[in-house]
Amino acid sequence: MSSIAQTEVVIIGGGIVGASAALFLRHRGVPVTLLDMGACGARASGVNYGGVRRQGRPLEQMPLTARAHELWAQLHSLIGTDGEYVRSGHLKLARTEEDLDQLRAYRDRTREWGMDLRIIEADELRRRFDWLDPRLAGGSLCPDDGHANPRLVSPAFAQAAARAGADVREQQHVTDTRFDGKRFIIRTAGGDTLYARYLLNCAGAWGNEIATRFGEPVPESVIHPLMMVTEPLPVFMNVSLGIQGGGIYARQVQRGNCVIGGGRGTLHSEGYAKPSRRELPTLLARAAELLPPLRGAQVIRFWTGMEGNMPDHNPVLGPSSTTPGLFHAFGFSGAGFQIGPAVGEVLSQLVADGETSVPIDAFRIERYAPAAHAAGSSCSGEHTLENS
């Protein structure tokens, strides 16, 4: 049965970004309706690797990731669960001396942000982490970074928003969005119509579709990060891992399962992503090379998802350049899980205050002039950021 409703804010996309925006808006008493085409937190936000790291992020993201780090410390009070969040430390590894030099340079550029990055030379690395490939040249440790379970955390943000009074509607495919000069009109495949003063585009891999409707196309591509999980093993890995230059990332949970990512899945003809048979042997080989204790372990599941990817690996975040009351937050390039809560808070500030305490000019949609579209169309979607 179709319905018509009015509210202050409609959010399209119920992942960690949209759901946290709904939660923070409700903390301010703002009426909000959250729409997701499936189940909230079940798409990119629920199937990512689960890294909660600041290390390795572009310098433009430092203020955002620092605020997110503060919010993750409040996770249980925010959403009612710890989501298996642990500050295990994040160790970014160097294959070569050149890679280690890049890690040193990154440490020097980011000293003011309180990450306390510690360069570990090869001998110390072998001594402290004797379960790693002994041929590594060293690494950079961020002691307070960590990981969490996205399958618990991401849906919990939407559930917390609902408890705070948000109108959370799942299985709501948005078919039309328009602005009549005073308010937004949003229609769904089920026949519902919503009217709102503000619209938040948090649609992830589908964010460009909505931006295009308002005359703001951007060169967003879609990536399908490939991941796997092993059977429970004796616990040996006490940090979350990444590699300078990319290729593989790994963590081990308390139950002993090792979660490992690297490579790409493929897009099925029916519109959903699936693991790539061609990529699986490469991921298995990389895992066994980096982590000798995994040799002979059984992999119990492979999976992938759909992530919006931008050519510069920074999100589109901020007000629309064409439509008052429209705000974008998408294209997190496989690295939105950690900064998601801070992005949600930023969006709530933009709506309620008209400004935000976190600098976001580097992420504005205006940075994509028509000339940038051609560059984006040729982008392979591969990058060196870890999926987190």
Side-chain angles (χ1 to χ4, degrees):
M1 184 176 179
S2 61
S3 65
I4 299 175
Q6 297 191 39
T7 187
E8 188 75 358
V9 182
V10 166
I11 302 173
I12 301 176
I16 193 169
V17 170
S20 60
L23 178 60
F24 285 116
L25 283 166
R26 287 305 304 146
H27 286 175
R28 289 168 165 264
V30 178
V32 57
T33 298
L34 178 65
L35 305 176
D36 194 275
M37 68 170 68
C40 288
R43 291 181 180 268
S45 291
V47 301
N48 67 81
Y49 164 70
V52 184
R53 63 167 178 86
R54 295 164 292 165
Q55 179 171 213
R57 291 189 177 274
L59 297 183
E60 301 92 341
Q61 291 186 22
M62 284 292 112
L64 199 58
T65 195
R67 177 54 183 155
H69 188 65
E70 296 172 349
L71 291 172
W72 276 93
Q74 307 166 30
L75 189 67
H76 194 281
S77 62
L78 277 174
I79 62 175
T81 178
D82 65 7
E84 299 180 4
Y85 173 49
V86 292
R87 288 188 169 176
S88 60
H90 176 263
L91 180 60
K92 184 173 280 290
L93 299 166
R95 296 183 179 93
T96 66
E97 285 297 329
E98 290 76 12
D99 288 343
L100 195 57
D101 285 342
Q102 291 184 37
L103 292 176
R104 290 190 184 99
Y106 182 82
R107 175 201 58 188
D108 294 343
R109 290 196 303 271
T110 59
R111 285 188 188 277
E112 66 180 286
W113 294 104
M115 289 191 287
D116 190 25
L117 297 182
R118 305 172 187 177
I119 298 299
I120 301 176
E121 305 289 345
D123 289 346
E124 183 184 357
L125 189 74
R126 286 189 288 269
R127 185 173 64 252
R128 292 180 58 181
F129 306 99
D130 59 1
W131 38 268
L132 283 168
D133 180 353
R135 298 169 297 177
L136 292 163
S140 171
L141 177 65
C142 186
D144 283 342
D145 280 359
H147 55 86
N149 187 337
R151 291 183 176 275
L152 298 178
V153 172
S154 299
F157 269 96
Q159 293 159 8
R163 291 194 300 271
D167 180 4
V168 177
R169 304 187 185 187
E170 299 182 318
Q171 311 300 328
Q172 297 290 316
H173 180 67
V174 173
T175 57
D176 186 43
T177 52
R178 62 186 63 189
F179 183 64
D180 67 4
K182 294 182 178 180
R183 60 183 180 174
F184 292 91
I185 306 166
I186 300 97
R187 293 187 172 89
T188 71
D192 293 343
T193 301
L194 296 101
Y195 298 92
R197 288 184 59 196
Y198 299 95
L199 177 65
L200 305 188
N201 173 15
C202 305
W206 297 268
N208 181 51
E209 294 182 16
I210 295 172
T212 299
R213 295 176 189 176
F214 293 95
E216 300 179 288
V218 298
E220 183 184 34
S221 58
V222 181
I223 56 175
H224 313 291
L226 177 62
M227 280 157 283
M228 68 183 187
V229 62
T230 71
E231 63 182 321
L233 301 169
V235 176
F236 66 92
M237 195 186 324
N238 54 5
V239 291
S240 181
L241 298 176
I243 295 273
Q244 176 66 19
I248 188 169
Y249 36 93
R251 63 185 179 93
Q252 188 172 26
V253 302
Q254 188 176 15
R255 294 179 297 275
N257 307 79
C258 293
V259 182
I260 303 153
R264 294 284 182 257
T266 59
L267 184 64
H268 192 274
S269 59
E270 295 181 6
Y272 60 87
K274 65 178 182 179
S276 166
R277 291 184 180 272
R278 185 181 64 183
E279 294 273 347
L280 296 182
T282 300
L283 179 56
L284 290 167
R286 286 175 176 170
E289 180 181 45
L290 179 66
L291 301 163
L294 291 183
R295 294 169 186 171
Q298 297 295 312
V299 176
I300 58 178
R301 186 165 66 92
F302 292 93
W303 75 96
T304 187
M306 298 179 70
E307 297 262 9
N309 184 64
M310 303 307 299
D312 62 1
H313 310 309
N314 275 322
V316 174
L317 172 60
S320 165
S321 63
T322 64
T323 311
L326 171 63
F327 297 94
H328 300 293
F330 65 89
F332 290 89
S333 303
F337 188 58
Q338 190 267 349
I339 61 174
V343 174
E345 184 181 56
V346 162
L347 290 170
S348 72
Q349 293 171 345
L350 290 172
V351 169
D353 305 329
E355 59 183 7
T356 175
S357 58
V358 177
I360 59 170
D361 282 351
F363 314 130
R364 295 176 70 97
I365 199 165
E366 292 96 321
R367 75 185 190 271
Y368 286 110
H373 293 205
S377 66
S378 62
C379 178
S380 68
E382 295 291 338
H383 59 88
T384 61
L385 296 178
E386 295 148 45
N387 182 266
S388 56

